[in-house]
């Protein structure tokens, strides 16, 4: 009986070992000093970006032009982050758009669709009661990684 238990326990460890070895690697890509988030997290062949605002890179200043200008800048910030981490706008599979005012959806959408003219990613849009830096829009994206 003791031998049977040892064989069963040994079999369990042998079976679970490969499963654990096949777990995808998780890589956290920093957002900068004093930030409580990662700019992106890579899991296997997927890249998950934190939400991007329409701020001028390196500043807390929002792009001019209201929701349209901020949407354009947010998407440029997304594009730069994707390229920095080994992906591109062509590999984006899902976006979530957060709007300070859902009534601005049309103006956001006019800019947004120019960044995804062919095979646009899946998307959700949500109206909120406010966003960081009093911005009009925040966009987060998930993208596949290039080989």
């Amino acid at each position: 009986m003791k031998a049977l238990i040892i064989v069963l326990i040994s079999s369990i460890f042998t079976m679970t070992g490969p499963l654990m070895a096949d777990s995808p690697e998780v890589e956290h890509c920093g957002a900068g000093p004093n930030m409580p988030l990662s700019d992106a997290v890579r899991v296997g062949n997927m890249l998950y970006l934190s939400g991007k605002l329409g701020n001028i890179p390196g500043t807390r200043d929002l792009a001019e032009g209201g929701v349209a200008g901020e949407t354009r800048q947010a998407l440029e910030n997304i594009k730069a982050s994707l390229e920095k981490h080994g992906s591109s706008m062509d590999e984006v599979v899902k976006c979530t758009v957060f709007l300070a005012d859902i009534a601005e959806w049309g103006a956001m959408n006019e800019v947004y669709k120019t960044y995804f003219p062919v095979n646009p990613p899946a998307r959700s849009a949500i109206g909120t009661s406010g966003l960081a830096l009093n911005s009009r829009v925040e966009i987060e994206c998930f993208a596949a990684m290039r080989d």
Side-chain angles (χ1 to χ4, degrees), residues 117-141:
V118 180
N119 299 320
R123 184 183 81 190
S124 303
I126 301 164
T128 70
S129 64
L131 297 168
L133 303 181
N134 290 319
S135 63
R136 307 305 307 154
V137 64
E138 180 174 346
I139 304 172
E140 69 175 17
C141 294

Side-chain angles (χ1 to χ4, degrees), residues 33-77:
N34 303 318
M35 295 299 288
L37 54 98
S38 294
D39 179 47
V41 176
R42 187 183 130 277
V43 180
N45 69 344
M46 288 298 299
L47 187 66
Y48 301 87
L49 297 183
S50 289
K52 305 293 181 202
L53 301 175
N55 62 300
I56 307 303
T59 75
R60 296 173 63 91
D61 299 329
L62 296 171
E64 294 182 7
V67 72
E70 288 183 38
T71 299
R72 185 171 294 101
Q73 186 62 57
L75 288 163
E76 287 297 322
N77 294 345

Side-chain angles (χ1 to χ4, degrees), residues 79-146:
K79 182 178 176 183
S81 187
L82 288 168
E83 291 172 358
K84 174 181 171 184
H85 300 300
S87 191
S88 72
M89 297 297 273
D90 291 336
E91 277 78 46
V92 173
V93 296
K94 171 71 167 89
C95 291
T96 304
V97 178
F98 302 91
L99 293 162
D101 183 350
I102 199 69
E104 295 179 322
W105 181 88
M108 174 279 301
N109 197 54
E110 286 303 310
V111 175
Y112 178 94
K113 66 186 182 182
T114 66
Y115 282 81
F116 302 104
V118 180
N119 299 320
R123 184 183 81 190
S124 303
I126 301 164
T128 70
S129 64
L131 297 168
L133 303 181
N134 290 319
S135 63
R136 307 305 307 154
V137 64
E138 180 174 346
I139 304 172
E140 69 175 17
C141 294
F142 307 153
M145 300 291 292
R146 288 186 228 128

Side-chain angles (χ1 to χ4, degrees), residues 7-22:
V7 169
L8 287 173
I9 291 172
S10 175
S11 296
I12 290 170
F13 285 119
T14 302
M15 289 187 315
T16 59
L19 293 176
M20 293 172 140
D22 289 343

